[in-house]
Amino acid sequence: METTPPDLAALRDALPAGALVEDPDRMAGYRWDRAHDPGAGVPLAVVRATCTADVQAAVRYAAAHGVPVVPRGAGSGLSGGASAVDGCLVVATERMRAIEVDPVTRTAVVEPGLLNAEVKAAAAEHGLWYPPDPSSYEICSIGGNVATNAGGLCCVKYGVTTDYVLGLTVVLADGTAVELGGPRLKDVAGLSLTKLFVGSEGVLGIITRVVLRLVPAQRPPSTLVATFPTLDGATDAVLAITRRMRPSMLELMDRVTINAVEDETRMGLDRTAEAMLVIQTDEPAEHAALEVAEITADCEAHGAVEVFATDDVAVGEAFVVARRMAIPAMERKGSLLLEDVGVPLPELGALVRGIAEISRDRAVTIAVIAHAGDGNTHPLIVFDAADPDESARAQAAYGEVMRLAIRLGGTITGEHGVGRLKRPWLADYLGPDALELNRRVKAALDPQGILNPGALL
């Protein structure tokens, strides 16, 4: 790497007017993502790309000068994957927002700056649906979703982002733009390179175009909400439901989360409940009624004190909105360390109980929300950042939760990505052989190590 900042004149000339940001005040907003990584650095400059060619110009310049490149979407990431590093070029794709929907092939060609919600809206105009739905779907970008292989509330039935990515345009570390895949449902010619880049967190290339698979519009869902006096009852009910059924949503909120959301919404949630499940089925009406009846019986058999079911889409959506409010509601309680650990479903109860023990042992509040139907939990560690002792306990709890998940045969991240905040635990999760294989792939595609250094690996 160069020891003195390179002259930006050549890069400035290669980009459209206004695409290169050099003013420190304007660059400040590009230093952090939603994880608020305290180690975020100061960029050399920010490239607000408008097209693939702009990204290529930025990467070629960086390669020539040995400058790190940090790709950035909407900045809604929760693992520090878009944190700037000192002297880097932040390549922001927020201005790349084109979309073209083809209802015949049921595909959409999307640029990475478009928001998840905007893709859904464009698909809906053709009677189609883009299923992946992170809780932050209204503010997160498709580029970021692909880079982290984001999931969401309905992935228990419909899968995650990779299940809907058919093709990519990716700018590699030397500035080459490569086309991978395309609008074909079946294609096994060559290695599965498209999937290699999904979830790669910007360390292998920068995504500038995505071909997405769409599906017919979802049927109006029926919603069931069940409250439990114990967490064990709720997790046991989850296992009973998933043993025989495949609901389109199966979410869990613990007592801390319920109360935080109720503080914000005042919708009458049961503050005394230790857990609440929000469940939906989008089966045809007759079958949905049978499924709701079976889910009700499973919840009651495992101690639910109240079970409420409705076919009213607006009423059901209000409970889904309450679940999506969980992280913003907890953010109002203090600083957060956001976890994203997942386990095989039979270990969900052990994970939730173990998190409760860590909370007690470390004397820090840990709220638990979960995509319970697939074992992916989001423990939210709340602490006072101005209190050094409490901050230290929170950091210790953060690592202990990940080690707990690993012991239970789980993962340190189900959908948020490793980023920079979880990198210290990746080796323990992967093991030495798999970690070395990751490094060999990285070295082959980015021999200078300029793409998102410090993230993932």
Side-chain angles (χ1 to χ4, degrees):
M1 300 291 179
E2 295 192 359
T3 56
T4 59
D7 185 358
L8 290 166
L11 178 58
R12 194 181 303 112
D13 292 343
L15 295 170
L20 187 66
V21 178
E22 302 172 70
D23 177 67
D25 291 336
R26 291 183 63 199
M27 289 195 297
Y30 293 87
R31 291 182 59 197
W32 294 276
D33 59 15
R34 198 173 173 189
H36 304 294
D37 178 6
V42 178
L44 170 66
V46 174
V47 176
R48 300 183 68 216
T50 64
C51 60
T52 297
D54 292 351
V55 177
Q56 288 181 278
V59 174
R60 285 171 180 153
Y61 176 88
H65 294 277
V67 172
V69 178
V70 175
R72 177 187 174 88
S76 61
L78 296 169
S79 62
S83 299
V85 299
D86 285 333
C88 74
L89 282 183
V90 172
V91 176
T93 59
E94 62 194 354
R95 299 170 73 185
M96 300 176 65
R97 296 177 39 78
I99 181 171
E100 182 178 345
V101 176
D102 182 350
V104 177
T105 61
R106 293 208 302 240
T107 59
V109 179
V110 181
E111 288 188 332
L114 211 67
L115 302 183
N116 182 295
E118 293 172 322
V119 174
K120 291 184 188 299
E125 292 178 4
H126 300 273
L128 299 172
W129 181 40
Y130 176 64
D133 65 336
S135 292
S136 59
Y137 78 103
E138 294 174 313
I139 61 170
C140 63
S141 71
I142 287 296
N145 288 177
V146 175
T148 58
N149 193 18
L153 278 67
C154 72
C155 58
V156 60
K157 180 174 183 178
Y158 289 100
V160 296
T161 299
T162 191
D163 300 307
Y164 297 88
V165 176
L166 297 175
L168 296 172
T169 301
V170 182
V171 174
L172 303 179
D174 63 356
T176 301
V178 60
E179 304 283 342
L180 303 171
R184 298 169 293 278
L185 296 180
K186 297 174 76 173
D187 184 351
V188 295
L191 298 177
S192 184
L193 297 178
T194 302
K195 299 302 183 183
L196 176 64
F197 285 91
V198 178
S200 64
E201 302 189 42
V203 305
L204 302 181
I206 301 177
I207 295 162
T208 62
R209 174 179 166 274
V210 188
V211 182
L212 295 174
R213 179 171 69 95
L214 307 176
V215 298
Q218 186 183 31
R219 286 180 289 266
S222 299
T223 304
L224 183 146
V225 180
T227 54
F228 294 81
T230 66
L231 278 168
D232 281 346
T235 56
D236 288 345
V238 168
L239 294 181
I241 294 164
T242 55
R243 193 172 288 123
R244 304 189 325 278
M245 290 169 280
R246 195 181 183 190
S248 57
M249 184 180 298
L250 180 43
E251 297 289 303
L252 178 146
M253 298 162 58
D254 74 350
R255 184 174 183 173
V256 176
T257 311
I258 293 168
N259 278 271
V261 170
E262 178 64 12
D263 288 344
E264 299 298 321
T265 64
R266 305 294 179 183
M267 63 185 294
L269 301 179
D270 182 358
R271 289 183 179 274
T272 67
E274 289 297 326
M276 181 172 83
L277 297 180
V278 179
I279 308 165
Q280 288 191 331
T281 174
D282 61 0
E283 295 294 325
E286 184 177 343
H287 185 68
L290 295 174
E291 199 163 80
V292 166
E294 289 190 44
I295 292 171
T296 298
D298 283 336
C299 289
E300 290 176 343
H302 291 90
V305 294
E306 182 180 7
V307 180
F308 167 78
T310 180
D311 293 328
D312 188 306
V313 173
V315 173
E317 182 61 21
F319 285 99
V320 177
V321 169
R323 162 59 186 87
R324 293 189 192 277
M325 274 289 298
I327 293 177
M330 291 306 304
E331 284 178 323
R332 291 174 173 82
K333 305 299 181 184
S335 297
L336 291 190
L337 288 172
L338 295 103
E339 292 272 16
D340 172 35
V341 294
V343 291
L345 264 179
E347 301 295 345
L348 180 62
L351 177 65
V352 173
R353 286 192 299 273
I355 291 168
E357 292 175 7
I358 292 169
S359 176
R360 288 192 297 270
D361 292 345
R362 291 295 178 181
V364 292
T365 298
I366 305 181
V368 176
I369 54 177
H371 306 309
D374 53 27
N376 184 196
T377 70
H378 298 318
L380 311 175
I381 303 172
V382 188
F383 66 102
D384 179 359
D387 182 335
D389 181 64
E390 188 170 334
S391 296
R393 297 199 310 274
Q395 291 287 347
Y398 187 78
E400 288 172 359
V401 169
M402 279 185 279
R403 287 190 288 273
L404 170 65
I406 293 170
R407 286 199 304 274
L408 294 173
T411 176
I412 62 173
T413 175
E415 59 185 8
H416 293 169
V418 173
R420 290 174 174 79
L421 300 188
K422 294 196 168 189
R423 190 187 63 209
W425 294 273
L426 183 64
D428 288 343
Y429 169 66
L430 289 178
D433 294 337
L435 182 61
E436 177 57 24
L437 186 57
N438 275 256
R439 287 177 172 152
R440 286 164 61 186
V441 172
K442 165 70 168 173
L445 292 177
D446 180 19
Q448 286 183 273
I450 63 171
L451 292 180
N452 216 5
L456 184 59
L457 297 171

